């Protein structure tokens, strides 16, 4: 059991690194919609998917093309996101344009909250999410309560049926980031 948790942590860390190195996004929205049977639906929305200039030897166009190809191959066609939550069931994965930005969405269904890394000590306790698992992201907002920095968790009242969390990933910069919207629009035709 400990080895499995270690493998899941390594996958989360690797996928966070991949999204933070060249392929990135501005913010991420996490939403947990709970049902009365102990499961529910978990959605991650990647807002403003971008390429971040990383390698000096590549032009901005080459970097953007390379990052778009990685986005399609690893995250859309392959199972990179599914590896992060191996016990949950992937039900939707897509890219779409909204407000002049390329966004992505992944939706999982789960039968137990631990399948999507939520925790509840007992039925009288709040739901909790460990923020340090989001290594390349920083807290932005939630409909729960953020604990002090020395204890990086979000707590949600046990009576809530929808738990939300927004994180910041990468600051938009004209010099170092490029939206992948135009590449996506060109390739979807």
């Amino acid at each position: 059991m400990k080895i499995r948790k270690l493998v899941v942590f390594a996958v989360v860390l690797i996928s966070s690194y991949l999204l933070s190195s060249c392929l990135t996004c501005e913010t991420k929205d996490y939403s947990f919609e709970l049902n009365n049977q102990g499961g529910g639906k978990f959605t991650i929305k990647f807002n403003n998917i971008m390429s971040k200039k990383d390698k000096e030897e590549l032009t901005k166009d080459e970097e953007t093309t390379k990052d778009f190809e990685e986005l399609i191959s690893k995250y859309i066609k392959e199972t990179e996101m599914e590896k992060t939550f191996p016990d949950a069931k992937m039900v939707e994965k897509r890219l779409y344009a909204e407000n002049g930005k390329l966004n992505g969405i992944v939706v999982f269904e789960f039968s137990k909250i631990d399948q999507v890394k939520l925790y509840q000590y007992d039925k009288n306790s709040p739901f909790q999410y460990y923020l340090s698992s989001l290594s390349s992201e920083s807290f932005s907002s939630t409909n729960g309560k953020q604990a002090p920095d020395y204890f990086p968790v979000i707590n949600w009242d046990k009576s809530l049926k929808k738990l939300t969390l927004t994180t910041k990933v990468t600051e938009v910069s004209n010099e170092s980031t490029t939206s992948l919207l135009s590449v996506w629009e060109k390739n979807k035709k």
Side-chain angles (χ1 to χ4, degrees), residues 119-131:
Y119 177 75
Q120 186 179 32
Y121 178 71
D122 60 33
K123 293 194 182 291
N124 296 317
S125 301
F127 293 104
Q128 296 183 316
Y129 189 79
Y130 184 56
L131 287 173

Side-chain angles (χ1 to χ4, degrees), residues 73-114:
S73 67
K74 283 188 177 178
Y75 297 96
I76 300 299
K77 291 182 178 176
E78 293 181 16
T79 59
E80 198 65 35
M81 290 303 302
E82 292 90 325
K83 292 175 190 174
T84 306
F85 301 96
D87 296 326
K89 179 185 175 193
M90 172 71 70
V91 293
E92 182 181 1
K93 177 170 46 172
R94 65 183 168 89
L95 298 171
Y96 64 97
E98 181 179 64
N99 300 322
K101 298 175 181 178
L102 179 62
N103 296 326
I105 193 165
V106 292
V107 180
F108 294 90
E109 290 179 346
F110 59 95
S111 57
K112 298 185 305 184
I113 63 170
D114 66 339

Side-chain angles (χ1 to χ4, degrees), residues 159-185:
S159 65
L160 287 177
K161 292 296 181 188
K162 185 171 184 178
L163 318 175
T164 62
L165 168 65
T166 299
T167 62
K168 297 175 194 169
V169 181
T170 300
E171 196 70 35
V172 176
S173 162
N174 290 338
E175 295 82 38
S176 63
T177 59
T178 304
S179 172
L180 293 180
L181 179 62
S182 62
V183 182
W184 176 73
E185 287 175 332

